[in-house]
Amino acid sequence: MDRVPVLKIGDILLVSIQIDMEDQVALQLQEDLADRIVATGCHGVVIDISALDIVDSFVGRTLATIAAISKVLDADTVVVGMRPAVAITLVELGLSLPGIRTALNVELGMEMLARERDADDDGDDDEDEGDAETPAVFTP
């Protein structure tokens, strides 16, 4: 079985999918990526899908699941390199990919994650305001 390599670049894990995303490969990537986030302590994941011509509903859901798992493990996910045909297919399938942000290419995705990490390090709490998914907890 083919495996998708997961590379560490600074505080970011880069996943460049260069093979057909069969169901078993997608599930293995999900597990490998979760393990690498924990092992490295990285806070960002960039998934490059520019080589994919087709993303079916299973792979789309797997990408959303990867983003959710990454978020629980304190890492934000950005999917980059989405082709127009892939975007159209995902919309037609009704997959909104919750929790996944997109960028045009790897460089822009890495910049997005770096800006967010810098804002978090500066103590900027504005990001939490209005975030329905993560309620604020105040201790008196």
Side-chain angles (χ1 to χ4, degrees):
M1 175 178 70
D2 290 325
R3 287 181 104 134
V4 177
V6 179
L7 308 172
K8 183 177 183 292
I9 301 174
D11 193 30
I12 295 173
L13 295 176
L14 173 62
V15 178
S16 183
I17 301 172
Q18 300 294 317
I19 59 174
D20 288 333
M21 284 294 286
E22 297 171 5
D23 293 357
Q24 194 58 38
V25 173
L27 291 172
Q28 187 64 54
L29 173 60
Q30 182 177 303
E31 188 174 321
D32 290 347
L33 193 51
D35 290 343
R36 287 294 303 273
I37 291 168
V38 170
T40 63
C42 285
H43 296 288
V45 176
V46 174
I47 302 175
D48 180 9
I49 63 169
S50 59
L52 295 182
D53 292 323
I54 297 172
V55 173
D56 63 15
S57 61
F58 180 79
V59 172
R61 284 192 310 274
T62 302
L63 288 172
T65 301
I66 287 171
I69 291 168
S70 298
K71 189 65 175 172
V72 169
L73 296 173
D74 194 30
D76 294 317
T77 302
V78 178
V79 173
V80 302
M82 187 177 301
R83 294 177 183 218
V86 170
I88 291 167
T89 300
L90 291 174
V91 170
E92 287 175 347
L93 291 171
L95 295 174
S96 61
L97 302 179
I100 295 182
R101 281 161 301 156
T102 60
L104 291 177
N105 58 44
V106 171
E107 182 179 4
L108 292 173
M110 292 181 75
E111 286 176 9
M112 179 187 295
L113 290 172
R115 278 194 313 270
E116 290 172 3
R117 183 54 58 188
D118 288 345
D120 288 347
D121 289 345
D122 291 340
D124 184 9
D125 291 333
D126 292 341
E127 181 178 301
D128 291 337
E129 291 180 13
D131 187 357
E133 294 180 6
T134 309
V137 176
F138 297 99
T139 306

